[in-house]
């Protein structure tokens, strides 16, 4: 798996889906200052990389969650990947909204899914894990059994790891923050002295200043 994580980290940086700027931090929607910006949706625009993501997510599901009977994507970032994965595996697909619609049928889960079905959740990116685990809870409340989650990338924040542990959800990702930083240093994308800044940020991103 390390080989996949390293390869995917490099691919994401090559298409600038991941940008690292330790000395010129980005500002996230949450207000956090961050030396990294991630936009995995860019992978959809590159056919070879899109196929790589699809097939590796499928491999992860087949290895870790072979009992899955349906695929659910987390809206909106993981809808496209979820459809690709479900199609490749020949499984039903649905997606989960952040909250129920305020009109029509008031659905939070869109698509046809059987109560009691064993569902694997497809996510794009894991930061604090809040929105991802809300989707899991919505599926559980509906009557599904969530067997696990696969995602393209995780920052690996301690708060997220604890949240997934508390929710009893196994998370498998194609790459993560540690592998991105390691490959960025190895390929000269960042300077060796910037590695320490990147590692420091991950310890307490909400209060990090630089």
């Amino acid at each position: 798996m390390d080989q996949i994580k390293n390869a995917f980290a490099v691919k994401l940086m090559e298409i600038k889906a991941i940008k690292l700027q330790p000395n010129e931090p980005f500002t996230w929607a949450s207000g956090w200052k961050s030396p990294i910006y991630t936009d995995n949706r860019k992978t959809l625009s590159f056919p070879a990389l899109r196929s790589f993501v699809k097939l590796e997510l499928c491999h992860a599901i087949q290895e870790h969650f072979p009992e899955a009977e349906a695929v659910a994507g987390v809206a909106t970032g993981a809808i496209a990947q979820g459809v690709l994965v479900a199609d490749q595996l020949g499984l039903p697909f649905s997606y989960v909204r952040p909250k129920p619609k305020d009109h029509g049928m008031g659905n939070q889960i869109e698509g046809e899914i059987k109560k009691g079905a064993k569902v694997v959740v497809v996510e794009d990116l894991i930061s604090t894990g809040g929105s991802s685990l809300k989707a899991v809870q919505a599926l559980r409340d509906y009557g599904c059994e969530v067997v696990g989650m696969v995602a393209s990338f995780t920052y690996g924040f301690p708060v997220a790891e604890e949240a997934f542990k508390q929710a009893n959800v196994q998370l498998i990702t194609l790459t993560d923050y540690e592998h991105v930083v390691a490959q960025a240093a190895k390929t000269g994308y960042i300077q060796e002295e910037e590695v320490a800044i990147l590692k420091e940020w991950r310890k307490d991103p909400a209060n990090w200043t630089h």
Side-chain angles (χ1 to χ4, degrees), residues 51 54-55 58-59 62 82-91:
S51 291
K54 174 186 72 176
L55 293 174
C58 287
H59 292 159
Q62 289 168 328
V83 169
L84 291 167
V85 165
D87 189 58
Q88 181 72 21
L89 294 175
L91 294 175

Side-chain angles (χ1 to χ4, degrees), residues 35-111:
I36 182 171
Y37 185 78
T38 308
D39 181 8
N40 290 334
R41 283 168 288 200
K42 274 195 167 189
T43 61
L44 296 168
S45 303
F46 297 82
L49 186 50
R50 184 175 66 221
S51 291
F52 175 91
V53 173
K54 174 186 72 176
L55 293 174
E56 291 306 331
L57 287 174
C58 287
H59 292 159
I61 292 169
Q62 289 168 328
E63 179 180 351
H64 298 279
F65 313 114
E67 71 274 33
E69 299 169 330
V71 175
V74 180
T76 57
I79 292 177
Q81 282 92 343
V83 169
L84 291 167
V85 165
D87 189 58
Q88 181 72 21
L89 294 175
L91 294 175
F93 176 77
S94 58
Y95 69 87
V96 187
R97 296 176 176 274
K99 59 184 180 180
K101 284 197 297 188
D102 58 5
H103 59 281
M105 298 292 289
N107 294 339
Q108 183 168 9
I109 299 171
E110 298 286 7

Side-chain angles (χ1 to χ4, degrees), residues 6-8 90 114 126 137 149 175-176 186 201-202 210:
N6 286 330
F8 190 39
K114 293 179 180 177
I126 309 291
Q137 193 57 51
M149 184 182 296
T175 194
D176 52 40
K186 184 177 179 181
W201 170 78
R202 218 262 304 263
H210 182 65

Side-chain angles (χ1 to χ4, degrees), residues 74 96-99 108 129-141 149:
V74 180
V96 187
R97 296 176 176 274
K99 59 184 180 180
Q108 183 168 9
S131 58
S132 308
L133 292 174
K134 279 183 183 177
V136 169
Q137 193 57 51
L139 288 162
R140 287 173 170 168
D141 290 345
M149 184 182 296

